[in-house]
Amino acid sequence: MDKRVGGDVGYINETELLSHHAQACEGAEKLFNSTRKMGGAELSKTYQEKLEKFEEDQLNQYTKINESKNVFKTARTPITMFIVMAVAYVAHSILAFLYLGPLALLSNMVFWGSMGTLGLWVALKWKGEKPDITQAIDNGAEFIWDQGLLPVYVIAVAMTTTAAIKHAQNVSNRRGSKSKTS
C-alpha cells in the first residue's frame, strides 16, 4: 500500500485508493487465514478483529496523506477568494456606473473583506499558526465554492458543451449537404 499511495507517490483518485486498499486487505486476510494458528478459533477471532481495525486505521491514514497531496483542494481557498474579489470588483464598477452608490459600496466591502481574508489565510498558512482559523476560512471558501461557484460552473460547462455539439452538428450537416450536391 505504501508503494502505491505513500508519501513518495503523487495524488491518486479516491476510487483507485479504495481499490488498492481492498486488494491489500484481501491479501492480508488471505495470508492470515492460510497461516496456522495456536490458541483456537476464539483467539484467532480476536486477532482477526485486530487486523480489521488495523486495516481501517491504515485506510484513514492513507486517505489523509492522499488528500494532502491534492493540489486542487489546497488551491480551492485562494481560487475562490480571487473569484469572489473579481466578481465584487466588476459588480462595484457596474453599480457605480449606474449611480447605485450603496450597492456599489456593499460590493466594495465584499471585495476588501475577501482581500483581507485571503491575506490572513496566506499569512497564517505560511506561519503555520492558528490552524483553527485557517480551517474556518477553508470551510467558508468551500461553502462559497459548493453553493455559489460550482453550480454556476456546471451550468456554464453544460451551456458551452451544448453549443459545441450544436455547432458540430451544423458543420456535419453542411458537409453532408455539400457532398450530396457534388
Side-chain angles (χ1 to χ4, degrees), residues 32-164:
F32 180 83
N33 292 330
S34 67
T35 305
R36 294 184 64 192
K37 296 166 206 62
M38 294 174 57
E42 210 165 290
L43 185 62
S44 179
K45 185 177 180 180
T46 60
Y47 283 107
Q48 176 79 29
E49 290 171 357
K50 286 181 181 181
L51 175 63
E52 290 170 359
K53 174 79 170 114
F54 177 76
E55 290 170 345
E56 185 179 319
D57 291 343
Q58 288 294 94
L59 176 62
N60 291 337
Q61 180 182 353
Y62 282 118
T63 302
K64 288 178 184 177
I65 290 170
N66 194 44
E67 282 301 315
S68 71
K69 294 185 261 180
N70 189 349
V71 174
F72 295 110
K73 186 166 182 156
T74 305
R76 180 176 288 172
T77 298
I79 289 171
T80 302
M81 290 299 170
F82 277 118
I83 291 172
V84 168
M85 288 173 11
V87 168
Y89 180 78
V90 170
H92 170 75
S93 299
I94 292 170
L95 292 169
F97 178 74
L98 297 173
Y99 298 107
L100 297 171
L103 294 176
L105 178 63
L106 181 64
S107 62
N108 199 20
M109 289 169 54
V110 169
F111 174 84
W112 286 108
S114 298
M115 177 78 79
T117 303
L118 180 61
L120 178 67
W121 181 84
V122 168
L124 292 177
K125 278 285 193 181
W126 182 59
K127 288 182 177 181
E129 297 176 356
K130 309 280 187 195
D132 52 334
I133 295 174
T134 57
Q135 185 61 44
I137 294 171
D138 285 336
N139 291 342
E142 187 172 348
F143 178 79
I144 291 169
W145 179 264
D146 290 340
Q147 301 301 318
L149 300 177
L150 189 61
V152 172
Y153 174 75
V154 168
I155 291 169
V157 167
M159 289 173 56
T160 55
T161 304
T162 303

